[in-house]
Amino acid sequence: MTSVLDLAPVVPVVVIEDAADAVPLARALVAGGLPAIEVTLRTPAALDAIRAIAAEVPEAVVGAGTVIAPDHVDAAVSAGARFLVSPGWTDLLLDAMRGSGEPFLPGVSTVSEVVALLERGVSEMKFFPAQAAGGTAYLKSLAGPLPQARFCPTGGISLSSAPGYLALPNVGCVGGTWMLPADALAAKDWARVQSLAAQTAALRD
């Protein structure tokens, strides 16, 4: 794998509170047609969740999100993460992600951040928080002066707004949580998650 942006049109952004949920959740997403799964490093269970998915759901491509420090990079890759996503970046974090050997998406929300990454040889980025930072209109305005930059917008995107993002020439995929409603996760309703994942995967058509 060389690009996170080409894994799937939609990458579920997952917050896992209980590592025991990781495998059935990942299986439901994969069965619904969403094999790329971003597990955010926001909970104590996150690394164990990544480890379990990597070991038990080989059809999934599991990555780590909310990577904000070099030690996050090392821990996530050691756990089995196959891609890395950050909400923002610094030179130190960028060096660590690049040094991991895994594909990564550093987060940006301004033109200057995009230009700074292009200057450093990075052309694939996360646009976050997408809706709050200007949404499709903002990304469309970047395509003219910065056509070499490609994005995975994440933050506030829904099933209804995702197609607008995916239609843009500089968007490779979007990240979202709408296929993971809190009540379904609390009830461990994996069939519902699979159904919502299938509805989401249909966006590629």
Side-chain angles (χ1 to χ4, degrees):
M1 181 178 69
T2 58
S3 172
V4 181
L5 299 183
D6 298 328
L7 286 174
V10 179
V11 179
V13 179
V14 184
V15 180
I16 296 181
E17 302 289 348
D18 183 351
D21 292 340
V23 167
L25 174 58
R27 285 177 175 155
L29 291 171
V30 170
L34 300 179
I37 302 169
E38 177 188 332
V39 177
T40 66
L41 302 184
R42 301 181 193 175
T43 68
L47 290 173
D48 285 338
I50 291 171
R51 198 171 287 112
I53 295 169
E56 299 183 46
V57 193
E59 318 93 288
V61 181
V62 63
T66 322
V67 174
I68 59 172
D71 60 336
H72 286 175
V73 173
D74 296 336
V77 172
S78 295
R82 294 171 60 188
F83 63 90
L84 305 165
V85 184
S86 70
W89 65 277
T90 65
D91 285 327
L92 194 63
L93 179 58
L94 190 67
D95 287 346
M97 290 194 293
R98 199 195 300 267
S100 73
E102 302 295 342
F104 61 92
L105 294 175
V108 297
S109 60
T110 70
V111 175
S112 293
E113 290 169 328
V114 175
V115 171
L117 283 177
L118 291 174
E119 194 175 75
R120 290 160 173 79
V122 178
S123 60
E124 298 188 343
M125 313 165 196
K126 171 178 177 171
F127 178 58
F128 177 83
Q131 287 291 97
T136 54
Y138 190 93
L139 285 171
K140 187 176 182 179
S141 71
L142 294 184
L146 301 170
Q148 65 273 53
R150 295 180 70 216
F151 302 95
C152 174
T154 304
I157 298 174
S158 65
L159 179 64
S160 61
S161 65
Y165 283 95
L166 293 169
L168 297 175
N170 56 352
V171 170
C173 64
V174 301
T177 61
W178 67 84
M179 73 297 296
L180 301 162
D183 57 343
L185 299 186
K188 303 185 190 302
D189 188 351
W190 310 127
R192 184 179 171 203
V193 170
Q194 181 177 335
S195 176
L196 292 169
Q199 186 181 22
T200 299
L203 291 175
R204 70 167 58 95
D205 302 324

